[in-house]
Amino acid sequence: MKRIAILGATGSIGTSTLDLVEAAPEQFEVAAVTAASNVAELAGIARRTRARLAVIADESRLEMLREALSGTNIQAAAGESALAEAAVSADLVIAAIVGTAGLAPVMAAVRAGRTIGLANKEALVSAGALMIEEAQRTGATLLPIDSEHNAIFQCLAGQDCDKVARLILTASGGPFRAFTLDEMAGVTPAEAVAHPNWSMGAKISVDSATMMNKGLELIEAHHLFGLPESRIDIIVHRQSVIHSLVEYADGSMLAQLGSPDMRVPIGHILAWPRRMATQARRLDLIEVARLDFEAPDPVRFPALRLAREALKRGGAAPLTLNAANEIAVEAFRASQISFPAIAALVEAMLDAMDRPLPSSIPDVLALDSEVRAIARERLAKLSA
Ligand SMILES: NC(=O)c1ccc[n+]([C@@H]2O[C@H](COP(=O)([O-])OP(=O)(O)OC[C@H]3O[C@@H](n4cnc5c(N)ncnc54)[C@H](OP(=O)(O)O)[C@@H]3O)[C@@H](O)[C@H]2O)c1
């Protein structure tokens, strides 16, 4: 029996995780589940999984959660410290909150030396070396759920890691892979959220459309696998069949393939170091028939260049990239700015801010808030 906590249980990754966990009740015990504001869904999940603790981030909804859980033994809690409590309540923590909002709970799990299935890439991008150093100090284990990093993790297993030549992250190219710059200028939030291959939450879907998702993944790969930016390539592979590759010094390339279903990497992490069955569709290679690859276009997808620059520059540049992107994506989803303005705002914020990475998580969070406030001011001026 593995005791697990699911942070962000009501989201896309949370739901896929629950799908696997509920299909294998003899293997998993759910210690805690969390959500931001969706009380009804969270209470339903907590009741179904017989979780011991249900946490709602929005403290004003605690009473609603208590009512929704009345007649059960499930403890209801709310707010930051309760999220941290949920994060340390299990042996394996699935970190599936979206955005930097997940950083404090992930760090609580890292500090407690837990095993963390990391989907919440923004947390690692923002805290960077601080999180990795803390994990080394406490013995916490970071296991990648992001399909690309999970693919690399699988391709590294049992290999001579000193002989890795480069990592190759694959990217679907998103819904606007073949769009011109003019066409991109007019796309709507609904079009950006409709990913051709993957079913995901709204924020990561927009990130896939700008390819900022791949930029964040580049930074994530650097921290998880310790390779410099110059040895991490990105290629567009529109079928999303190969989830990433590792090239070794002898010229061998290892790839992990599977249908585009997050239950495959999540199942890998839930069962790690063993394997478990999942209901994900089997890949039919005859049906797939061909695999296409192309270089990403840095002109139409400037987010890739910005992420590389942020990683090369170091300090708090990745934090700035991520925080500005979160604000820009929010504004785009609210139809306040155009699609190309997302990368433009991120670039302007990177140009405007040059700070070292703070040495503590409270300072990282304070800087994150500062970047967001400045980004919001810039947006307000643009629309004034
Ligand atoms: N979806 C994918 O296929 C996929 C693949 C790879 C990586 N990821 C990464 O996994 C993470 C989650 O993505 P997702 O697509 O599952 O997102 P999602 O569907 O939007 O779900 C987000 C989850 O986080 C909770 N949440 C949102 N804001 C919060 C806050 N301020 N405090 C506490 N909880 C909060 C939400 O609760 P409510 O429901 O109450 O709002 C929900 O449970 C992201 O970092 C994403 O980049 C996702």
Side-chain angles (χ1 to χ4, degrees):
M1 269 280 191
K2 270 189 190 171
R3 275 162 57 82
I4 69 162
I6 308 172
L7 312 180
T10 50
S12 166
I13 292 287
T15 303
S16 295
T17 304
L18 285 162
D19 205 29
L20 294 164
V21 167
E22 292 186 82
E26 70 294 349
Q27 290 181 50
F28 303 102
E29 179 191 328
V30 178
V33 288
T34 81
S37 57
N38 193 342
V39 167
E41 181 74 20
L42 179 67
I45 291 168
R47 281 175 180 271
R48 269 188 357 245
T49 58
R50 299 196 174 88
R52 294 207 308 191
L53 172 65
V55 176
I56 196 84
D58 179 350
E59 289 178 90
S60 70
R61 296 187 182 217
L62 178 57
E63 217 34 63
M64 274 170 73
L65 181 62
R66 282 203 180 111
E67 274 168 34
L69 292 174
S70 65
T72 72
N73 292 327
I74 304 163
Q75 186 197 338
E80 249 175 61
S81 58
L83 282 174
E85 189 190 329
V88 301
S89 67
D91 310 315
L92 173 62
V93 185
I94 302 299
I97 290 175
V98 61
T100 313
L103 174 56
V106 169
M107 279 307 294
V110 170
R111 239 175 266 123
R114 299 291 190 263
T115 299
I116 298 135
L118 188 74
N120 181 202
K121 64 192 85 181
E122 298 92 342
L124 182 55
V125 168
S126 302
L130 214 56
M131 188 185 290
I132 300 297
E133 279 161 19
E134 187 66 0
Q136 282 162 354
R137 193 183 70 77
T138 64
T141 306
L142 290 171
L143 300 174
I145 282 184
D146 221 350
S147 58
E148 296 75 3
H149 307 74
N150 183 268
I152 289 170
F153 182 50
Q154 294 199 41
C155 295
L156 290 172
Q159 301 296 324
D160 184 352
C161 291
D162 288 347
K163 295 290 180 291
V164 170
R166 61 184 178 130
L167 307 178
I168 304 163
L169 300 172
T170 54
S172 69
F176 311 135
R177 181 181 59 85
F179 276 38
T180 63
L181 281 172
D182 279 351
E183 284 169 331
M184 282 193 201
V187 301
T188 65
E191 288 167 332
V193 167
H195 196 279
N197 302 349
W198 295 91
S199 160
M200 307 184 287
K203 191 260 176 184
I204 185 176
S205 297
V206 176
D207 285 347
S208 296
T210 57
M211 292 193 76
M212 180 59 86
N213 184 47
K214 216 46 59 179
L216 297 175
E217 287 177 5
L218 168 85
I219 299 171
E220 184 186 9
H222 160 75
H223 289 303
L224 286 174
F225 304 116
L227 259 70
E229 154 303 320
S230 56
R231 283 166 60 200
I232 308 173
D233 287 353
I234 294 170
I235 56 169
V236 175
H237 162 49
R238 65 180 166 80
Q239 291 94 351
S240 298
V241 166
I242 293 183
H243 297 303
S244 280
L245 308 93
V246 177
E247 183 185 301
Y248 287 92
D250 61 5
S252 296
M253 273 188 179
L254 300 192
Q256 185 260 353
L257 286 71
S259 56
D261 184 329
M262 285 306 294
R263 288 177 300 181
V264 178
I266 297 170
H268 178 248
I269 293 309
L270 283 174
W272 184 84
R274 302 179 60 96
R275 296 259 178 190
M276 67 185 283
T278 79
Q279 296 309 311
R281 190 165 172 250
R282 298 298 99 138
L283 195 60
D284 180 340
L285 289 174
I286 304 293
E287 195 183 302
V288 170
R290 58 180 277 180
L291 300 172
D292 294 291
F293 305 97
E294 63 196 56
D297 180 347
V299 177
R300 289 181 303 124
F301 296 99
L304 292 172
R305 169 179 56 80
L306 297 175
R308 273 199 193 279
E309 279 173 18
L311 183 50
K312 276 196 268 189
R313 201 194 295 175
L319 178 154
T320 302
L321 173 98
N322 177 69
N325 180 59
E326 286 193 32
I327 295 301
V329 170
E330 218 173 80
F332 169 70
R333 287 181 57 209
S335 301
Q336 287 161 5
I337 60 170
S338 70
F339 183 74
I342 299 175
L345 178 70
V346 173
E347 182 153 26
M349 290 299 298
L350 282 173
D351 289 345
M353 303 207 51
D354 186 13
R355 303 276 185 89
L357 183 66
S359 56
S360 74
I361 293 300
D363 290 347
V364 165
L365 292 172
L367 181 57
D368 177 77
S369 300
E370 189 185 334
V371 174
R372 282 162 198 265
I374 299 172
R376 283 199 187 95
E377 267 170 35
R378 281 180 178 252
L379 283 179
K381 275 187 198 144
L382 281 180
S383 50

